[in-house]
Amino acid sequence: MAATTTGSVPVEPVRYLAVWRLPLGQGMEAVGRPRAPSQGIGHGGHSGAYVYVPAFSLARMVVENVGVRLTQRQPVLGAAAVPWSGGRPGSARLFSPVLLGRREARLLGEFVCLGLAVREGRDENAVARAPDMGPEELVYIPAVSDRRCVHDADWRLLLREFDV
Amino acid sequence: MAQLPATSTDQRICPQCAASLAWPDYTNLVVCPSCTSTLAADAALRAVQCPQCAGPLAAVGGLRLLACCHCGVHVLVAPQGGNDRWRLPLRVDRPAAERVAREWLQSRPDVHQPSDGVSFEHAELVYLPIWEYGALVAGWEFGYHTRMQGEFIGDEQNERMELSAVREEVQEGRLQERRFYLAAADPAAVGAGRPRITGREPLIPVLGGDLDEARVLPEQGTAAHMVEQGRRRVLEPTSRVENPDSRLLLVRESACLLFYPLWVLAGSDTGGRYSVVVNGFEGTVNAAVAPLRATARLRERGAKAAPLGVPVLLLLGLALLSASARLPAAILLVMALVVAAAVFWQACIPSEVEYHDPYSS
């Protein structure tokens, strides 16, 4: 029975969603979270924590939901999440457009940090104004469209941290 | 109606082919009629040309990726500068505008109607400049709002509802585009009101020659002043909460000038003068001045004079009832009748109907 229903599910192609990743200089304290014991200051003053700002959509629910969830879970991005330099012909349509520039991503980083504080029920005043963030890096995260994933704006991110 | 200043035109030389070309003051972009290069006036007159072969580029408003007509290379235009002047398309021509105005006048029962219809001797197309400031705003608004909550208390025989004020915390995220409009010229100069703009109208970039057949009102103020005002307005919290504490950021912003078409029609007959402003984009009446119909005028005058009837009746009653007060009451009665007659015939009676579109400002 399970094999029949699994076989009848339409297979969506894997798409790559553009997301800006900004390293946090002060760690999760910049987003109003207490620092975890394992978090330290790494090389170049970077604590290992990142703020994620979706660059493939300007809809508030998408930027808020996907950005906050990625920042909350701090996924470890492997090779699958980094764009490859070459590509097969016709693969460009699987990559989302990039709608935000670097400067805009930095501004929306504060928006995501505040969204994280609101979602976790913390005081928004604990979130630093203009949090200290490092240079922006554009990454592509693999995902498939799935209407059941309402918390992630109908995208099922193919990352281990999002496997329920 | 005030005389509008004529559109001034500058004579310049094309940097590509050295041809002489006329440059109207309402635009920043002109297409050279000789070599068809698109010329932009920023700090200096420059041609929008292909960096590969110096051939002309067909610049289209809003498009940042252009194709060279000669070598076919694709060129990415920088985000700064570019066109900042747009116009709304003219969807109503002169005959259609006159028809709209006549139909509107005929539909008004209080307007004087000539026997052979209203004839407009003067019709002019005028472009009204309007500043537009647009910004993508992101952030959060925090605060409180109070709502009334009803609760049934008491037993079955003595049940009642008690209302109490409940304070709720508000946390609203914002990522939206906001626009702010400001008239760059006084629309009253043509007897119009500023037309309503929703931000969803189609816009066409203004090139040299597009508005030569019309009068363009000169813009007042500067873009910098407009941007400053716009920033203040778009960063205001919109959630109407108590103790607002918002953290709103400007992600993107832009400022441009829109030119709105208006038809100004004027005519006159024995009844008086007619002046109608028709919206050249929507095809509706924006403002109008027309003579009042005779019956309506009489009705207006009667309405103005009627309150004076009360003291007249009182004085008449006093004169009839009291013999000693008859002479003073008679004198006052005559004076009141004279005043009523003056009000009825002349003073403070409008002779014209004035109309302004309720959605204009």
Side-chain angles (χ1 to χ4, degrees):
Chain A
M1 184 67 175
T4 308
T5 52
T6 302
S8 64
V9 169
V11 176
E12 295 278 345
V14 175
R15 297 188 192 276
Y16 293 86
L17 306 179
V19 175
W20 285 104
R21 186 171 76 163
L22 298 97
L24 282 170
Q26 296 169 344
M28 297 306 276
E29 296 158 322
V31 297
R33 262 188 169 183
R35 185 185 298 180
S38 58
Q39 264 185 342
I41 302 296
H43 174 65
H46 175 225
S47 62
Y50 294 91
V51 172
Y52 291 85
V53 179
F56 59 92
S57 172
L58 287 177
R60 181 182 69 84
M61 292 310 294
V62 175
V63 174
E64 186 183 328
N65 284 353
V66 178
V68 165
R69 295 256 290 175
L70 282 168
T71 307
Q72 224 170 15
R73 304 208 170 182
Q74 293 294 312
V76 175
L77 300 180
V82 177
W84 65 71
S85 53
R88 298 191 305 272
S91 64
R93 70 178 184 280
L94 299 176
F95 286 81
S96 72
V98 180
L99 302 181
L100 292 175
R102 292 177 183 274
R103 183 192 151 269
E104 292 155 354
R106 190 165 286 277
L107 289 169
L108 284 179
E110 186 177 344
F111 172 77
V112 170
C113 292
L114 281 167
L116 181 60
V118 166
R119 194 160 289 203
E120 295 184 347
R122 288 178 281 109
D123 181 17
E124 63 275 3
N125 293 317
V127 178
R129 289 187 184 262
D132 177 29
M133 292 183 282
E136 313 84 6
E137 181 189 13
L138 185 66
V139 297
Y140 285 88
I141 294 180
V144 290
S145 175
D146 190 341
R147 294 195 175 188
R148 295 171 296 179
C149 301
V150 293
H151 296 295
D152 295 324
D154 297 348
W155 287 104
R156 180 157 54 88
L157 303 180
L158 301 178
L159 298 171
R160 192 185 312 116
E161 289 78 4
F162 285 79
D163 290 337
V164 178
Chain B
M1 190 184 304
Q3 283 293 321
L4 298 169
T7 305
S8 70
T9 305
D10 226 357
Q11 291 295 326
R12 300 194 189 185
I13 305 294
C14 174
Q16 284 284 89
C17 65
S20 172
L21 46 87
W23 198 291
D25 60 357
Y26 55 72
T27 184
N28 291 337
L29 288 178
V30 164
V31 176
C32 175
S34 176
C35 65
T36 68
S37 301
T38 301
L39 307 174
D42 293 337
L45 188 57
R46 57 179 175 83
V48 181
Q49 59 187 0
C50 172
Q52 189 96 334
C53 67
L57 286 176
V60 177
L63 204 62
R64 288 188 55 202
L65 195 62
L66 308 177
C68 175
C69 307
H70 279 283
C71 63
V73 73
H74 283 76
V75 179
L76 186 65
V77 180
Q80 285 81 21
N83 183 40
D84 60 354
R85 296 183 173 224
W86 305 82
R87 63 181 173 94
L88 277 77
L90 179 67
R91 303 203 287 203
V92 176
D93 58 6
R94 177 175 173 170
E98 290 182 356
R99 189 170 56 247
V100 166
R102 274 195 212 97
E103 285 171 3
W104 184 86
L105 290 170
Q106 281 166 4
S107 69
R108 297 282 304 211
D110 50 352
V111 167
H112 169 74
Q113 304 289 342
S115 54
D116 52 352
V118 178
S119 166
F120 295 104
E121 296 104 30
H122 172 77
E124 185 176 40
L125 180 61
V126 173
Y127 277 90
L128 175 70
I130 299 174
W131 289 110
E132 180 195 69
Y133 174 81
L136 182 65
V137 176
W140 287 83
E141 293 179 18
F142 304 102
Y144 298 92
H145 77 252
T146 308
R147 66 177 180 87
M148 300 306 290
Q149 181 174 282
E151 190 182 342
F152 285 101
I153 57 173
D155 51 20
E156 282 185 9
Q157 277 77 39
N158 195 20
E159 193 178 33
R160 66 181 188 278
M161 179 185 274
E162 196 167 85
L163 294 175
S164 56
V166 175
R167 206 171 186 218
E168 288 180 337
E169 193 180 6
V170 171
Q171 296 167 327
E172 287 189 13
R174 296 266 183 252
L175 179 60
Q176 60 191 177
E177 183 148 354
R178 295 185 182 178
R179 292 176 196 265
F180 170 65
Y181 294 95
L182 187 67
D186 186 9
V190 293
R194 200 207 79 182
R196 179 182 55 164
I197 300 183
T198 61
R200 290 187 289 273
E201 291 87 1
L203 298 175
I204 303 172
V206 175
L207 297 179
D210 283 355
L211 309 184
D212 285 352
E213 310 251 321
R215 292 275 190 180
V216 180
L217 295 184
E219 73 259 18
Q220 294 153 14
T222 60
H225 175 66
M226 165 64 185
V227 165
E228 189 190 318
Q229 269 195 297
R231 277 181 193 153
R232 251 197 324 270
R233 292 288 290 270
V234 301
L235 290 179
E236 284 173 1
T238 58
S239 50
R240 296 174 187 267
V241 295
E242 304 160 18
N243 295 336
D245 175 27
S246 64
R247 287 170 72 168
L248 294 173
L249 306 157
L250 277 177
V251 179
R252 283 178 200 161
E253 61 178 359
S254 66
C256 64
L257 204 55
L258 306 182
F259 290 92
Y260 205 107
L262 296 170
W263 280 102
V264 179
L265 309 169
S268 63
D269 78 335
T270 52
R273 66 178 185 93
Y274 297 83
S275 170
V276 183
V277 178
V278 175
N279 189 318
F281 175 70
E282 292 181 352
T284 57
V285 172
N286 176 275
V289 173
L292 195 61
R293 185 175 282 208
T295 51
R297 200 174 301 180
L298 283 171
R299 192 171 55 241
E300 281 281 323
R301 288 175 174 172
K304 293 278 185 185
L308 287 170
V310 173
V312 166
L313 287 173
L314 281 174
L315 289 169
L316 199 60
L318 194 63
L320 290 173
L321 291 173
S322 170
S324 60
R326 198 161 289 172
L327 183 59
I331 294 170
L332 286 172
L333 184 62
V334 168
M335 288 170 63
L337 285 172
V338 166
V339 169
V343 168
F344 183 79
W345 286 110
Q346 196 60 35
C348 306
I349 303 296
S351 58
E352 288 179 332
V353 172
E354 199 168 321
Y355 167 81
H356 291 277
D357 183 5
Y359 294 110
S360 68
S361 55

